Amino acid sequence: MAKKLKRKTQKVHIAFTLNGEPCEVAFAPHKTLLEVLREDLNLTGTKHGCELGECGTCAVLVDRKPVLSCLVLGLTVEGREVTTVEGMQLADGSLHPLQTAFADLGAAQCGYCTPGFLLTAKELLEKNSKPTRDDIKEALSGNLCRCTGYIKIYEAVELAAARMRGEAAEVPEEVVLGLK
Amino acid sequence: MRAFEFHPAHQISDAIRSLDEANGNARICAGGTDLLSRLKDDVDNPERLVCIRTLPDLRYIRNDKDGVRIGALTTLSTIEEDAYVQKQLPLLHQALQVTAAPQIRNQATMGGSICQRPRCWYLRGPFDCLRKGGKECFAVYGENKYHAILGGHLCYIVHPSDSATALVALNASVKIHGSKGEKTVPIEKFFVGPEVNILKENILEDDEIITEVFIPHPAPGCRGAFNKSRERQSYDFALASAAVQCRMSRGVCEDVRVVLGGVAPIPWRSREAEAVVRGKKLSAATIREASEAALRNAKPLTQNDYKVDLTKLLLTKSFQQVSI
């Protein structure tokens, strides 16, 4: 039975948990989660990249799992829990150990890919406190970085993991200054 | 992305009614990873999206006496992490590990994974190609590096799904709900080549949704292997892949299913290769003969003859892995 359909452009209204706090937002129904976060909630830490699911820079956590916000309709996060890079800080307001380690090791250069890497790595460390280099590579395989060559990113995740386990981890001098 | 009417469904019957009344102008939205890229590229322009991720009870992996049942909304990462799948269905586990990126596996669903549209750039670009109801397949004389070498007929897309390749090798079946009721179809009958339908890759009608994928328990002595080649190592669609599920008894291959991915418009079952190895020991010579047989009827286009040797190599590797 055919029925005349009507394309809706008026705004829709949803409620969800954003970075640990209740959030309500109204937006056009065909917007992606990425667009809702950036344009309607002014959280511009999440970056626009390829829009195709190939680069990982728009990764956010939905129900604690990393997903690509450019491939999620905003409407589908109703009632769910979303974490962006703005919500990574610890309860006392200090940086997450991953953020500190990225800064210490220069794992961010232009910084455009960094939020996606941080959130994806955060979930990895929550389920695996002592990941091997291969575990890290696999977990981050959906994130592209065109500056660092990845090595510093892997090292930063290892450093953050060690610090989170309470181990005294030193930053090797050559990592920061290069080989003498 | 253009505007659309958004219908979240809370019952299977709601979803079907909503699809049915849209008369072909609705698309199903589950994980959304493939759908959203098509909408953004403006190669699909539905008036309505029927969101089925709100359906209850379609997220499960259940083991019963016959096999394992996977609810259509189960994400690929959940299946990949499942202990039974890891132990008893290594072929599927291996295929999922090399499917897309981890973030996409957290979103993509079992049902959606096998319903992905092909990645052919003419289909996904502003070209009025045969699969979109046009008059011509631009891949024949155009850029056809990633296109089909087997089973092409007027249209030369390749099926993009790794899980589909694995599921055909595992003799899975698909449960479908629609206006006319419920049916279960062997997965091999689910996919159709361009000679049957040039517009679609499967038999799913406009008013139907997949609700479950069923994989029978492998018989004792079964072994499986999946190998895939990608242009980019971190993650990519298959240039080619080869799945072998084989029941071995005293070194002899008693029963076997061989399926090739990334080389044909559907997951390509190679009965030619199966016939070579059935009832034989998997010696180097037999494996070579089977790999040759699988690609004997390959008809490469102008830029993709590399796929012939690549597929033979992947198939050889899969056979070697199950023979050890």
Side-chain angles (χ1 to χ4, degrees), chain B residues 127-162:
Chain B
F127 300 91
D128 189 22
C129 78
L130 272 174
R131 196 153 283 260
K132 287 191 287 208
K135 291 198 168 60
E136 181 180 358
C137 172
F138 296 90
V140 177
Y141 298 107
E143 298 292 327
N144 51 36
K145 181 179 171 188
Y146 301 118
H147 288 76
I149 54 170
L150 285 161
H153 172 82
L154 302 174
C155 163
Y156 293 85
I157 55 143
V158 295
H159 203 280
S161 171
D162 294 323

Side-chain angles (χ1 to χ4, degrees), chain A residues 13-169:
Chain A
H13 183 262
I14 65 163
F16 64 107
T17 305
L18 177 59
N19 295 329
E21 292 176 3
C23 170
E24 289 185 35
V25 61
F27 54 88
H30 55 277
K31 278 193 166 182
T32 61
L33 175 59
L34 173 64
E35 290 162 341
V36 175
L37 290 169
R38 291 180 57 90
E39 297 165 13
D40 299 284
L41 293 162
N42 295 322
L43 294 178
T44 53
T46 308
K47 301 302 181 205
H48 257 293
C50 67
E51 288 275 352
L52 290 167
E54 295 201 354
C55 75
T57 194
C58 68
V60 299
L61 304 182
V62 175
D63 291 339
R64 294 163 185 244
K65 289 205 177 245
V67 299
L68 302 177
S69 61
C70 76
L71 293 182
V72 176
L73 276 180
L75 271 168
T76 59
V77 301
E78 176 145 38
R80 299 165 86 188
E81 199 182 304
V82 177
T83 307
T84 68
V85 72
E86 289 89 348
M88 267 193 85
Q89 64 196 21
L90 303 178
D92 63 2
S94 61
L95 290 179
H96 188 281
L98 274 165
Q99 293 173 305
T100 315
F102 269 59
D104 286 352
L105 296 189
Q109 286 186 22
C110 85
Y112 203 80
C113 66
T114 311
F117 271 102
L118 286 171
L119 289 160
T120 307
K122 180 177 185 285
E123 191 253 357
L124 169 70
L125 298 188
E126 276 163 16
K127 64 180 183 194
N128 181 356
S129 64
K130 202 171 181 180
T132 62
R133 179 63 68 96
D134 281 344
D135 294 337
I136 298 171
K137 279 188 183 173
E138 168 56 26
L140 300 180
S141 63
N143 296 77
L144 294 186
C145 172
R146 303 287 83 175
C147 307
T148 63
Y150 301 100
I151 302 298
K152 293 198 172 191
I153 293 174
Y154 301 148
E155 287 171 343
V157 176
E158 286 165 356
L159 178 65
R163 285 174 175 167
M164 287 165 77
R165 292 192 303 267
E167 290 165 22

Side-chain angles (χ1 to χ4, degrees), chain A residues 52 71, chain B residues 1 27-28 32-46 115-119 123-124:
Chain A
L52 290 167
L71 293 182
Chain B
M1 230 176 340
R27 299 289 176 273
I28 300 164
T33 54
D34 184 44
L35 177 73
L36 260 61
S37 26
R38 294 197 323 266
L39 297 187
K40 287 180 190 186
D41 288 347
D42 209 17
V43 291
D44 201 354
N45 184 18
C115 293
Q116 288 176 80
R117 299 301 315 272
R119 307 306 294 195
L123 179 68
R124 301 240 171 191

Side-chain angles (χ1 to χ4, degrees), chain B residues 153-292:
Chain B
H153 172 82
L154 302 174
C155 163
Y156 293 85
I157 55 143
V158 295
H159 203 280
S161 171
D162 294 323
S163 41
T165 306
L167 291 170
V168 174
L170 291 168
N171 198 15
S173 51
V174 183
K175 197 196 268 186
I176 296 170
H177 272 78
S179 309
K180 296 189 193 80
E182 181 194 317
K183 61 184 172 189
T184 300
V185 186
I187 197 159
E188 256 186 285
K189 300 251 164 66
F190 178 73
F191 298 109
V192 289
E195 71 287 358
V196 177
N197 190 339
I198 202 128
L199 300 172
K200 294 195 328 189
E201 298 79 53
N202 56 58
I203 58 162
L204 205 66
E205 297 287 345
D206 290 335
D207 62 343
E208 289 179 330
I209 64 169
I210 296 177
T211 51
E212 185 181 272
V213 168
F214 169 75
I215 306 167
H217 288 307
C222 267
R223 291 178 194 170
F226 181 92
N227 282 286
K228 165 178 170 178
S229 174
R230 310 177 262 192
E231 202 161 46
R232 185 169 64 173
Q233 282 312 302
S234 59
Y235 70 94
D236 212 336
F237 289 93
L239 292 173
S241 67
V244 172
Q245 180 76 358
C246 191
R247 181 158 58 82
M248 302 291 287
S249 173
R250 278 174 254 109
V252 174
C253 167
E254 301 263 306
D255 198 10
V256 65
R257 287 170 78 92
V258 174
V259 184
L260 307 175
V263 290
I266 54 171
W268 189 257
R269 185 156 174 207
S270 177
R271 289 193 161 76
E272 297 87 345
E274 293 173 8
V276 170
V277 297
R278 196 171 282 119
K280 295 206 189 105
K281 283 193 174 3
L282 291 180
S283 65
T286 308
I287 292 174
R288 195 178 314 118
E289 198 189 325
S291 303
E292 292 291 336

